[in-house]
Amino acid sequence: PRACYRCHQEIRDADAIPNKTPYENFITDRMRGSAAAGAGVTDVAATSFESVINSGRLPAAEQLKLIEAIAGTYYRAKDYSKVISWAQRYVKEGGTNSQVRKLLVQAQFLNGDFGGAAKELSAEVISDDKAGRIPSEDRLQLLANCYVKLKDFHGYARALERLVTHYPKKDYWADLIGRIQRKPGFADRLALDVYRLQLATGNLHKASDYVEMTQLAIQAGLPAEAKKIVNEGFSKNVLGSGVEAERQKRLRDLAHKQAAEDQRALSQNESEAAAAKDGNALTNVGYAYVTNGRFDKGIALMEQGLAKGGLKRPEDAKLHLGIAYLQSGNKARALSILKTVQGSDGVADLARL
């Protein structure tokens, strides 16, 4: 305290000197800024350091450090407009400290400049991509929040896709899948594919979802898949209890019965599909083989069906072929096919996810 008192006394004495030279003002402001920063008097520290910088007497490297200090001082004082101004000046003058950029984005967000914050964060993510770095989860979360504030739901979905790519948490997946499903024009026929994605990401929880997914698989002519789904529901104790227990057990019995019958009929169905004029039956039978775990056989038939042509829904067939390759362990081939899926009814969105 005694040393601090002496310092403040010296500054007051210096201030009292009349007709000071510009250099003397520079030294006085620098002393005042340092003393105020040490005492936690942020407004005095910031204005004094501003005067030091405006004097033009600092070397470039030292000036950058002082600009950085000013931005931090204003941030602690919650004067976000000035944080933005000084942080932007720091970047413009060649500053490279990533912490200053973080201060800039935080200040923009807290000051309500969500567009500016999103622009900075997007540039940061692009820079990470070019450098082969994974963007941090908190930065992607902040980017997503910016888009929410801007009501830019396409941007929000893109940020969510980044999050599930690098940080595949169930909650992120649930949000993203739900948003895709709620898009205008999303086709009802893709409900089973949505359930498949929810199941794969750990987002199938309710008994009603397991029941509906089982029923949809049976209706699609895929009882082997239905059997796996209903069995999982029972193994997780989601099915088999409560007022719907008997109905759920009957559904399980039906899935098991039809799966056994389907296995016996597959070879006959294959022969009929091969004789058909178009490739619809071949892709359907092929996928049935896949759900039975016979990947090589099923994928070969699906490829034949696509090559034969005349498909009612060729994009759906490519989606299912991609899923088949993914389940077989051939991720590279799966990706190459899924990237070709097109359409505005939700099929391309599901293929991307």
Side-chain angles (χ1 to χ4, degrees), residues 129-293:
D129 285 344
K130 288 181 179 177
R133 295 186 300 264
I134 295 175
S136 68
E137 184 176 6
D138 66 313
R139 307 303 279 169
L140 290 173
Q141 286 175 330
L142 186 58
L143 179 59
N145 285 334
C146 287
Y147 287 129
V148 169
K149 296 289 187 181
L150 292 165
K151 295 187 165 89
D152 180 352
F153 298 114
H154 292 296
Y156 180 70
R158 290 195 303 272
L160 270 181
E161 287 188 12
R162 291 280 191 163
L163 281 165
V164 299
T165 299
H166 301 300
Y167 307 96
K169 295 179 179 177
K170 289 195 292 185
D171 289 347
Y172 296 148
W173 270 112
D175 192 356
L176 184 56
I177 295 168
R179 286 181 178 276
I180 294 296
Q181 197 174 12
R182 292 191 297 272
K183 283 178 68 173
F186 190 91
D188 292 339
R189 74 174 190 281
L190 299 171
L192 180 56
D193 292 304
V194 171
Y195 277 129
R196 286 169 177 148
L197 196 52
Q198 288 176 327
L199 184 65
T201 58
N203 280 296
L204 206 65
H205 307 296
K206 296 185 295 184
S208 58
D209 289 338
Y210 275 98
V211 168
E212 185 176 358
M213 186 179 181
T214 301
Q215 291 172 335
L216 287 172
I218 290 173
Q219 291 165 15
L222 301 168
E225 184 175 18
K227 176 182 171 181
K228 291 174 188 174
I229 297 159
V230 75
N231 284 350
E232 179 172 318
F234 273 90
S235 68
K236 290 184 174 179
N237 296 318
V238 178
L239 302 178
S241 60
V243 295
E244 294 289 316
E246 286 304 315
R247 179 170 171 264
Q248 292 162 3
K249 288 174 183 175
R250 289 197 297 273
L251 181 63
R252 178 179 61 183
D253 293 342
L254 175 64
H256 280 241
K257 178 172 180 273
Q258 290 199 4
E261 292 173 352
D262 188 61
Q263 261 196 331
R264 290 192 293 269
L266 273 176
S267 58
Q268 181 181 342
N269 294 341
E270 180 187 343
S271 299
E272 293 172 357
K277 293 180 180 179
D278 55 49
N280 288 292
L282 277 170
T283 57
N284 292 337
V285 173
Y287 199 62
Y289 271 113
V290 168
T291 61
N292 275 278

Side-chain angles (χ1 to χ4, degrees), residues 17-31:
I17 297 172
N19 302 318
K20 291 194 296 294
T21 65
Y23 180 74
E24 288 170 334
N25 282 325
F26 166 75
I27 294 297
T28 303
D29 287 330
R30 192 163 189 175
M31 288 172 59

Side-chain angles (χ1 to χ4, degrees), residues 53 60-72 82-104:
I53 289 172
E62 197 172 342
Q63 179 162 305
L64 273 175
K65 288 182 180 178
L66 201 52
I67 292 173
E68 179 182 339
I70 292 172
K82 289 190 175 178
V83 176
I84 293 167
S85 175
W86 283 98
Q88 287 176 334
R89 179 171 175 177
Y90 175 85
V91 172
K92 186 178 180 180
E93 293 190 13
T96 57
N97 188 341
S98 62
Q99 294 304 312
V100 178
R101 283 189 174 273
K102 288 186 177 181
L103 275 187
L104 171 59

Side-chain angles (χ1 to χ4, degrees), residues 84 88 103-114 116-117 120:
I84 293 167
Q88 287 176 334
L103 275 187
L104 171 59
V105 172
Q106 287 292 131
Q108 287 172 319
F109 186 87
L110 293 169
N111 206 44
D113 182 9
F114 306 118
E120 286 289 336

Side-chain angles (χ1 to χ4, degrees), residues 36-49:
V41 186
T42 55
D43 55 339
V44 174
T47 53
S48 297
F49 285 146

